Each structure stands twice: as structure tokens, then as C-alpha cells.
Amino acid sequence: MDKAEKVMNLAVRRGFFWPAYEIYGGVAGMYVWGPLGVVLKNKIIGLWRAMFIESHDFLEIESPAIAPYVVFEASGHVGSFKDIMVSCRDCGRKFRADTLLVEKGIEVSEAASLEEVDSIIRENKVRCPVCGGVFGKSSYFTTMFKTTIGPYSESVGFLRPETAQGMFVEFKRIYESFRRRFPIGIAQIGRGFRNEISPRQGPIRLREFDMMELEYFFDPENSDCPYLEEVLDEELNLLHEELIRKGGKDYETMTVREALENKVIKNGCMAYFMVLATRFIELLGIPRENQRFKEKLEGERAHYAIQTFDQEVKLDRWGWVEVSGHANRTDYDLSSHIKMSGRDLYAYRQLDKPREVEVLEVTPLPKKIRRDYGDKIRDIMRDLSKIEAEELKSLLLKNGFIEVAGVKLSKEYFDIKKYVKQVTVEPFIPHVVEPSFGLDRIAYAVLEYAYREVNDRVVLSLPPYLAPYDVSVYPLVEDDKLLEIAEDIRDSLAADGYRVLYDTKESIGRRYARADEIGVPIAVTVDHRTLEDDSVTVRDRDTWRQYRIKRDEVSRFIDLVIQGYGFDEVAGDMGLESFVSKE
RNA sequence: GCGGCCGUGGUGUAGCCUGGUAGCACAUCGGCCUUCCAAGCCGGGGGUCCCGGGUUCAAAUCCCGGCGGCCGCACCA
């Protein structure tokens, strides 16, 4: 049994996660997060919010998971999802038609139809590169889930493959409602959907999964990152383009300063978020040496990015697995939506000193037109209004006339004003760097890294602030007096806001073991001495060390431990007497 | 999608080859005992043997199809 199997076994048995729809045979790529798993995920989300949103005063939104066709048409997803596949009739292997043909030196336009691709394959006698077999008919495949919105089948919608488009589409609203704050970070935590062809790898590759995404909008003319100073000397593990091209398999560790100076990372804020991501994953219990950032090469990158690093963690069965992606999306998305929607999604840049801008205004002179063209003025004016102002200007200046309503209208019929204007703001399209995290993979990785076996017992050494219960409370034995006190402690800790696991059945050792297995960091045990001096013992999940503590100090003790201070350290600071059981 | 292996209480499995009452361990529940690490004893519950079809007097077992899982190939914008 490998580690992944053990972790999944534990996850199913104790209720962290399991495959969905099992009673009907199951559906590949879909999992249920159980009661303990949901708590874990929520705690991971809480940490992410604190680190990526709250500490920068960024803004979080929730936008719909379903979007009309046009959104993903604009974003380029429709185009880059609609790949043409061909499969070999002999061995059944599937290939993307475009990459197959490009390898043969044949150019295919992206807009080529299925029939065109089929005939190109036939004419060039392209065979299966693996077995030499003949290809069957080509077909489209898309990894976006398609649906209809409302009862009309022509109203096509997609389930979003990323939450990011919500931030782009709604950018202007958020920007305006927060008084044009800039630079601005907008985040979203939510479900995304990708109809994977053949998902495997358990909870690592899902068809439906939670993402935590942040879009950081900045001015391309002032791309200095305001947070950079603090992280310049921090190290990153980078398997960057140059290293990959040299055939390097291992990452190289360098400081942010070096990475930026050597242009390994081309954007300051991207580097900053990569540092945050490293700290975040480290706080989740995955040491730095098992993390790295692998650069995506040209061709591997998503259509919208000019530079991308995947943050990967090393997993036992699957090796390096992506847990977050860091992409420089430039102004790709906002520009695309401006073009598609015709709406203004610009931000405004305050200029240091007023700038003089040459303005050219062209206005038709109706009286003059009526004098010379009479009733035709109606058609002329109507057609003129249809022409874009910029186009009108350039045509008029180039040709000296413009043809409307069958009339060559010379520039005498226009009032052409040229003047210089002072401006203090100017519009621009923000650029974006995006850190985007896959929550389900992260939660799985956390479990795998927390998983330990000690003398045939399973211990889940989760960081205390991630554990599904903060503390467990036990009477040493099922004795009425001990039970009463234990219940009392349980209730008061619950009232203090802790998640308490209360267990009275079977031997104390077995109860410790059950709690260790799901990662409860602290055990509080009421024993016979409690009756004498109102003290209880606290036990550390990882070391099994115990200390004696006054009942009314337990809450503070728990608070410090789940903040991340070490168990022994807190006990020492509080001057607790260590407890050793007889025997 | 292709190839290989596989699917039996919650978990891990035996039984399948050679068709004939589905067994074991752990977990779980109740009781007894018990002053600190899955202790012991007694008792209980829990199985559409992945689904469908076929062969047969009889199918967990043999045959066919499907679904699901793992590994490899392909795919993962």
C-alpha cells in the first residue's frame, strides 16, 4: 500500500473525502468532501483569505458559476477549448489534429473545419505516429461543460473553467464602487468545472473543484510592486525556463532580488505572490524543499499568459503536482472584454503634472449641408452618425471628403477644430498578475504531509490551526464524578468557540488513538486528581507529552497552541508541571 | 480512448482456477472490567459479492456488455 492509498483509506474511513455517487457505481473525477474534510478546507480558505486578501485590503466577490457563451468567447476559452481530435483506427490513440499536423510541417488555420482537417490528413497521408495506423474522422472536443440558460436552446452557457472571468467582467463596477482604488486586488473563491477526458489520480484531478483566485490589477506604466521590499531577500525554488532548456530537472534556489535582476521572473508582484504562496503552503505543513515553481514554456502556457509559473508540491505517488498557477495575464482579458462588449473597462491614471493633449474635433455643419443638398440632409446626417468619430476624422483628413448617402461630402461641410487641452487623468487598460490555487489538491496534499504512522497507529500531524477539532475532552474512566466535570469542560470550551471532540467510550488509550488519527492536537483528560485540586492534563498529539494545568487556564492554553506556538513552549511559558502517568 | 491488472459488510481480504448455505481480521455498537496510550472478556448489528444480460437445476465463481478503480500510453486549453 503506498501513501496515497493509506491517506485515501483514512479519508474514507473517518470522513474527510470519498468518491461521489458510489451507490450508482461512481463518476470519475467527482468527490465528496465529508464532515472533517469540509472543516479542513474551510480552515485552509481562512488562512488564504487572511494572507492573500485581508492583509492587503484586497476585495473579494462571488460571481455566478454559469456564464453566457459570449463571456468565454471573449476570454478566448471557446477558441482554445475547441480542439480537433483525431483517433487512430488501429491503436485507438488520440491526438490533437493541430499539433499532429504542425509536427509534419503542415500549417492548419485555427478556424479549419472538421472536413478540412480530414481532407488535409487524407491528402498528406498522415498516419498514426505510434503504430502507423489510419486515422478515423476527426471530431471536436471541449473540456468546458456546456449548458443552456433558460428554456431556449440557443441560449448557450458554460460552467466556468476558472473564476477569474468574474473579476474581469465585473472589474469596472468594483473599481467604481471602491472609489477607483488602484492598484486593486480582486479575489474569488468558488467552484470551477472542467470536463476532463479521463480524470484519475483521485482527488488530484477533478471535474469540479474549488479555486481560490486573485487578480491583481496594476498600471503597466508603473509596475513597481508596493509589497516587494519586504520579500526581496526571501528565497524561491525555481525550475525556470533557462534551467529547463538546459535539461535541468531540479530547481534552483535564488532570492527574489536575484530572480528579478536576472529577469527570471519578469514582474515584481508576481514574484511577491510567489513568496506568499510559498509561505502559505509551508504554513499548511509542506516544507519548502518539497515545493517548487516550474515555469511553463511557450506552447505550454494558457492562451492568455505571457509568463506562468506552476507552484508544485511533491506527492508520494504522483510526484510533482501543481497546487497553484502564477500567470502574468497582461491586459489580455480586459482588452478582450472591451473589444467584445464595446464597454469601457478602463482605469484612470492620475498624471503627475497636467499634460497637453492635441484634440481634433470634427463636427458637421447642417446649415451648409441643407443649403447645398436640400432634403438629402436626413440621409446624410443619419449615415454620418453611424461612422465612428475616429474613422470619420482619418477619412476626411486623408481624402478631403467622405462619401455618405451617395454624396461626396468635402471637408468644407465640417467644422474642424484643432486645439490643445490640459488633462490631469488618462484612461488605460490595467495589467493583471494572477495567483490561482486549487483548493482540493492542496487539502489532499495537507493530509498526505500530515499523515504519519507510529507503531502501527495512524497520527495525522496537522498544523493545530487546521485540525478538524481543536481539542478533545475525556474522563479518564466512565465514572459519574469525572463525567460531570468532563461534560462541564466540554461545554465551556465549546462556549469559548472551540470545536470539541468529546468521547467517553472504551479505554483512554483507544480514545487518544482515535483522536490522533484525525489530527486533534490537544487532549484534555479529567482524572481523579481533578477532584482534589481542579487540575486536568493536556496531552500533545505528536509527542504524547502531558502537562498538568488548572481548569480555568485550559482555554488560554488551547488558544496559544492553535495559534501555532509549540505545545511544550506554551507549557513552559505557563509554567506547567509535566505529568507522567504511573506504571 | 487503447493496453495490462482489479472490483466480496465501514476498511483490508479469503473463497473464483475446479459452480452447490459468503468466511476471517480490524473497525463499529451494547455490557462487564478498568486510575493514561488501539488491553481483556461476553454479546450484537452490518453483505444488491460493482451493474446488466447470458449459460446452468444452481453463478461471488463460467461467458458477454457496461460502470468504476489503479498503472502505462494519449489527454490535462
Side-chain angles (χ1 to χ4, degrees):
Chain A
M1 232 202 260
D2 70 359
K3 203 170 180 187
E5 202 172 341
K6 288 174 176 172
V7 171
M8 286 196 263
N9 197 324
L10 171 70
V12 171
R13 213 156 26 81
R14 301 305 306 271
F16 282 97
F17 62 79
W18 56 84
Y21 307 114
E22 277 181 305
I23 67 163
Y24 291 109
V27 177
M30 297 193 181
Y31 272 70
V32 172
W33 285 93
L36 301 188
V38 167
V39 179
L40 175 65
K41 278 176 77 177
N42 283 336
K43 293 201 169 188
I44 294 171
I45 290 171
L47 186 63
W48 192 83
R49 268 206 182 99
M51 292 181 74
F52 284 87
I53 304 180
E54 289 156 7
S55 62
H56 305 85
D57 206 10
F58 290 160
L59 308 167
E60 183 178 347
I61 64 164
E62 280 184 25
S63 70
I66 298 172
Y69 185 93
V70 65
V71 168
F72 291 110
E73 187 186 5
S75 72
H77 285 85
V78 169
S80 40
F81 264 74
K82 214 171 78 175
D83 288 320
I84 295 177
M85 302 288 291
V86 288
S87 65
C88 170
R89 278 192 196 151
D90 291 347
C91 68
R93 287 188 174 81
K94 286 204 166 202
F95 302 89
R96 275 175 57 173
D98 55 349
T99 52
L100 193 70
L101 292 173
V102 167
E103 278 166 21
K104 298 267 171 194
I106 305 160
E107 284 297 319
V108 219
S109 106
E110 284 201 5
S113 68
L114 295 179
E115 291 74 26
E116 283 168 314
V117 167
D118 284 341
S119 66
I120 291 171
I121 288 176
R122 230 178 300 119
E123 282 160 22
N124 291 278
K125 298 196 168 66
V126 179
R127 297 290 190 95
C128 171
V130 177
C131 75
V134 177
F135 286 113
K137 279 198 169 175
S138 60
S139 60
Y140 285 120
F141 96 111
T142 169
T143 54
M144 279 200 290
F145 281 99
K146 207 174 184 179
T147 188
T148 50
I149 301 173
Y152 308 104
S153 59
E154 64 271 24
S155 172
V156 173
F158 288 113
L159 275 66
R160 61 184 179 194
E162 57 170 14
T163 70
Q165 294 309 320
M167 282 80 100
F168 298 126
V169 171
E170 309 303 334
F171 168 75
K172 193 72 176 196
R173 269 271 179 245
I174 304 159
Y175 178 64
E176 293 292 346
S177 64
F178 276 74
R179 301 175 49 233
R180 300 189 176 181
R181 172 191 295 182
F182 207 85
I184 186 173
I186 307 174
Q188 179 158 210
I189 298 167
R191 282 278 159 109
F193 307 82
R194 298 179 192 186
N195 202 358
E196 302 281 358
I197 297 170
S198 124
R200 288 189 199 158
Q201 305 167 341
I204 296 303
R205 211 168 124 207
L206 299 175
R207 289 191 161 122
E208 188 183 329
F209 52 97
D210 282 313
M211 295 185 275
M212 305 183 288
E213 298 192 300
L214 170 69
E215 310 301 322
Y216 178 74
F217 296 82
F218 62 94
D219 182 344
E221 288 192 7
N222 176 22
S223 59
D224 292 347
C225 179
Y227 314 103
L228 198 59
E229 192 63 41
E230 188 229 327
V231 301
L232 276 175
D233 295 313
E234 191 145 336
E235 289 183 328
L236 289 172
N237 297 336
L238 299 168
L239 179 52
H240 52 84
E241 183 168 350
E242 197 194 327
L243 211 52
I244 296 169
R245 292 203 190 283
K246 279 196 223 151
K249 296 263 182 266
D250 224 356
Y251 58 74
E252 173 182 357
T253 302
M254 62 175 86
T255 62
V256 169
R257 194 189 305 277
E258 289 165 337
L260 290 172
E261 276 171 6
N262 300 326
K263 304 230 184 318
V264 171
I265 301 172
K266 289 163 192 150
N267 179 283
C269 268
M270 191 157 140
Y272 169 71
F273 290 126
M274 287 162 71
V275 168
L276 274 198
T278 305
R279 291 180 184 168
F280 172 61
I281 296 296
E282 192 177 26
L283 280 170
L284 298 179
I286 300 165
R288 282 176 183 242
E289 63 266 24
N290 291 335
Q291 299 182 32
R292 72 176 186 194
F293 290 93
K294 186 177 182 191
E295 185 160 13
K296 301 301 258 185
L297 305 181
E298 179 80 45
E300 294 176 334
R301 282 194 297 268
H303 57 278
Y304 47 69
I306 58 161
Q307 187 177 33
T308 303
F309 283 92
D310 279 354
Q311 183 184 27
E312 300 179 324
V313 301
K314 204 173 196 168
L315 294 181
D316 186 68
R317 182 189 287 176
W318 298 293
W320 291 102
V321 167
E322 178 191 357
V323 291
S324 77
H326 297 257
N328 185 342
R329 300 180 75 136
T330 68
D331 63 348
Y332 179 90
D333 298 274
L334 284 179
S335 292
S336 303
H337 286 301
I338 288 170
K339 218 175 280 168
M340 184 65 77
S341 67
R343 295 302 199 93
D344 164 8
L345 301 179
Y346 294 86
Y348 299 95
R349 177 189 291 138
Q350 197 72 39
L351 298 173
D352 293 338
K353 30 182 185 253
R355 185 187 291 174
E356 299 190 336
V357 182
E358 265 198 3
V359 183
L360 179 66
E361 266 183 21
V362 177
T363 23
L365 301 166
K367 280 183 186 161
K368 210 167 175 183
I369 297 171
R370 178 188 289 273
R371 190 192 67 202
D372 296 347
Y373 293 101
D375 287 348
K376 274 201 156 181
I377 186 167
R378 272 181 95 106
D379 296 338
I380 291 171
M381 292 306 284
R382 194 189 56 217
D383 284 7
L384 276 176
S385 72
K386 284 182 189 161
I387 301 171
E388 290 249 2
E390 290 303 318
E391 201 187 338
L392 178 67
K393 277 184 222 169
S394 66
L395 283 173
L396 213 51
L397 293 182
K398 202 173 87 194
N399 304 333
F401 66 89
I402 186 151
E403 197 166 335
V404 278
V407 175
K408 276 188 181 178
L409 209 57
S410 72
K411 55 182 177 182
E412 283 89 71
Y413 295 94
F414 295 89
D415 178 22
I416 299 177
K417 262 191 277 184
K418 239 184 201 176
Y419 61 95
V420 169
K421 196 169 111 179
Q422 300 253 316
V423 292
T424 54
V425 292
E426 63 181 355
F428 69 100
I429 305 178
H431 279 225
V432 168
V433 290
E434 168 201 76
S436 164
F437 293 78
L439 177 55
D440 307 82
R441 288 178 171 193
I442 291 172
Y444 171 81
V446 166
L447 288 174
E448 189 176 296
Y449 272 86
Y451 185 94
R452 292 192 299 139
E453 280 172 10
V454 188
N455 307 325
D456 280 347
R457 284 168 52 160
V458 173
V459 178
L460 207 54
S461 288
L462 291 168
Y465 40 83
L466 296 184
Y469 290 93
D470 300 309
V471 59
S472 55
V473 174
Y474 312 110
L476 184 62
V477 290
E478 274 191 286
D479 168 286
D480 284 346
K481 286 183 197 145
L482 300 189
L483 278 168
E484 195 188 324
I485 299 172
E487 281 169 22
D488 210 45
I489 292 175
R490 171 197 64 190
D491 293 343
S492 80
L493 290 178
D496 288 342
Y498 299 113
R499 280 183 64 97
V500 184
L501 179 68
Y502 182 66
D503 196 350
T504 66
K505 298 291 174 197
E506 298 192 88
S507 76
I508 189 68
R510 185 178 288 261
R511 283 176 277 159
Y512 286 149
R514 274 199 290 253
D516 288 348
E517 197 180 47
I518 56 169
V520 186
I522 305 165
V524 172
T525 305
V526 176
D527 60 14
H528 291 276
R529 201 171 129 188
T530 310
L531 300 172
E532 295 159 23
D533 64 2
D534 222 26
S535 71
V536 294
T537 64
V538 283
R539 170 190 178 272
D540 180 6
R541 171 196 67 201
D542 297 323
T543 65
W544 297 10
R545 272 199 281 279
Q546 287 180 275
Y547 297 91
R548 205 151 252 293
I549 184 171
K550 290 287 177 196
R551 253 178 80 171
D552 54 16
E553 289 188 307
V554 170
S555 187
R556 191 160 69 90
F557 182 85
I558 298 168
D559 182 48
L560 291 169
V561 169
I562 63 179
Q563 275 183 50
Y565 298 104
F567 197 95
D568 292 323
E569 191 189 330
V570 175
D573 289 351
M574 291 176 73
L576 301 184
E577 165 199 342
S578 71
F579 171 82
V580 184
S581 65
K582 295 160 216 163
E583 193 192 23

